[in-house]
Structures are given as C-alpha cells and as structure tokens.
Amino acid sequence: MKFAVIVFPGSNCDLDMYHAIKDELGEEVDYVWHDQTDLSDYDGILLPGGFAYGDYLRCGAISRFSNVMSEVIKAAEAGKPVLGVCNGFQVLTEAGLLPGALLRNKNLKFMCRTVDLKIVNNETLFTSKYVKDEVIQIPIAHGEGNYYCDEETLASLKENNQIVFTYASENPNGSMEDIAGIINEKGNVLGMMPHPERAANDIMGGSDGLALFKSIVKQWRESHVSHA
C-alpha cells in the first residue's frame, strides 16, 4: 500500500507521519507538496498536523484552496482512505469533507500532553484493530481542538455511528459530547485531534496509535490484494 503525506507550508508533523508509515508500519510513503495536482498513484491520503499557511484567517481556511485539495476530494469520492490529524482534521472540515468545525480550546491555551481516548466505533477501516470501548493513550497538541457542530449534525453523527473517538477521563478542550474524532457517512474519511503517529513505538512513550495505521492496511489488503 502506498501513502501520500500532504505537506502544506506550515505542516510540522509530516516527518512524524512519514516515520510512522515507513519505519513502524513498513509501507510505501511519499511527501506530496500542496501544489501537486495528481494523487492517482496513492492508495491512502494523510493530512498531518501543523499550521497550514500559518493558520492565518482561520485554521485550514486557506489550505482548503490548495491545488492538492481538489485531488484529496477526488480521492475521498473514489473511496480511498483519507486521514486528517489535528490541523489535517481542521482542513477536512474547512474543505467540507467532514461536518462541523474546530473552535479554540475552552481554556484558550495550547495544550500538549497524552490523553485517554475511547474507541467508540471499531467498525471502521481505521479502527478495526481496536476493541470497542477500549481506552488508549494518544498525545494531543493543539490550540483549536474544540469540536463543534449544530444539533442536527450531532444527531446525524450519532444516528450514523460517525463518532469514532471520544476523550475518556477528561475532556481537554471542551469539545461537544467529548468528541475527539469523527468519520464521514461513507466511512473513508476520518478526522481526529489526537496524534496516532506520535504513538507508534514504545520508545516514543507508547504505541497505541500504530493499530490505526495497521487497520487501514488490513482493510486495503483485504479489498485489493485478496481479489488481485
């Protein structure tokens, strides 16, 4: 399986994501600059954390107009797995690939620490290697991770089982319903504030995030290699 790590001016977790895929997962991966106009060679698209275009105006608001985003949307519509972490999650909401928005943390401070994360939905291509209601430890690092949506959207997320992760034991940013990650209705676009790529090896302080990437590869191999 071949992954693309999208790099915007200001991305700063692209190296972490690349390392997790290449060295910990053992899969092919390339850095793909924001002005590229072809993602057809890639099986999975990863939008890392950082400060895309400096996050001026609003997080993700400028990056959504990058050339590569039309290709990310095309890949999502084709059913390819698309993962946005932290700033990547913000970009996905701004691009309309996921509903809702990420607001300033309730304490208006940037936070960087490891939190408990509950697996609410393990029946996705991103979470099949986890157990439902399992609690894992994943780092966060954000100033605008307070997930918000209107009541109608929240009801739809619940009805369609689109809430994938919630914060357990504490809600660090004030997000609605403790939401830490959601998936699109089709099930192939996931946005999450915690950083699984920073929990891919025990030497990093934990490896609970690696199962997310293994889940993606497992689904891809089952749907592609086994039918080749």
Side-chain angles (χ1 to χ4, degrees), residues 79-99:
K80 292 183 180 181
V82 177
L83 169 66
V85 172
C86 197
N87 195 209
F89 186 8
Q90 296 160 347
V91 173
L92 291 177
T93 59
E94 289 290 338
L97 287 173
L98 290 172

Side-chain angles (χ1 to χ4, degrees), residues 8-48:
F8 299 101
S11 295
N12 64 18
C13 298
D14 45 335
L15 275 71
D16 298 322
M17 192 71 84
Y18 184 94
H19 165 75
I21 300 302
K22 183 177 179 60
D23 300 321
E24 304 301 340
L25 196 64
E27 297 293 329
E28 289 187 79
V29 58
D30 288 334
Y31 296 113
V32 177
W33 196 234
H34 65 103
D35 61 353
Q36 295 300 303
T37 56
D38 185 2
L39 293 177
S40 59
D41 285 344
Y42 299 99
D43 306 303
I45 313 299
L46 307 171
L47 280 71

Side-chain angles (χ1 to χ4, degrees), residues 1 12-13 28 34 51-52 57 60 75 77 106-107 116 122 162 167 176 213 219 222:
M1 186 174 184
N12 64 18
C13 298
E28 289 187 79
H34 65 103
F51 300 89
L57 182 64
E77 291 175 346
K106 64 179 180 181
N107 61 7
D116 290 339
N122 72 329
Q162 290 175 248
Y167 298 106
M176 178 178 283
F213 300 107
Q219 189 277 339
E222 287 176 351

Side-chain angles (χ1 to χ4, degrees), residues 75-83 92 97-99 121-128 157 160-164 182-191 212 215-216 219-220:
E77 291 175 346
K80 292 183 180 181
V82 177
L83 169 66
L92 291 177
L97 287 173
L98 290 172
N121 180 0
N122 72 329
E123 296 180 347
T124 80
L125 68 86
F126 302 93
T127 53
S128 63
L157 290 175
N160 297 318
N161 205 18
Q162 290 175 248
I163 299 172
V164 179
I182 60 170
I183 200 165
N184 66 337
E185 195 167 342
K186 189 175 180 179
N188 67 307
V189 179
L190 173 70
L212 185 147
S215 297
I216 299 173
Q219 189 277 339
W220 184 85

Side-chain angles (χ1 to χ4, degrees), residues 54-111:
D55 279 344
Y56 297 116
L57 182 64
R58 189 176 62 243
C59 295
I62 299 176
S63 55
R64 63 160 295 190
F65 295 105
S66 293
N67 287 340
V68 77
M69 285 308 298
S70 61
E71 290 298 303
V72 173
I73 292 171
K74 188 185 298 182
E77 291 175 346
K80 292 183 180 181
V82 177
L83 169 66
V85 172
C86 197
N87 195 209
F89 186 8
Q90 296 160 347
V91 173
L92 291 177
T93 59
E94 289 290 338
L97 287 173
L98 290 172
L102 283 309
L103 309 180
R104 294 285 303 275
N105 296 342
K106 64 179 180 181
N107 61 7
L108 303 181
K109 295 180 180 178
F110 183 90
M111 292 181 294

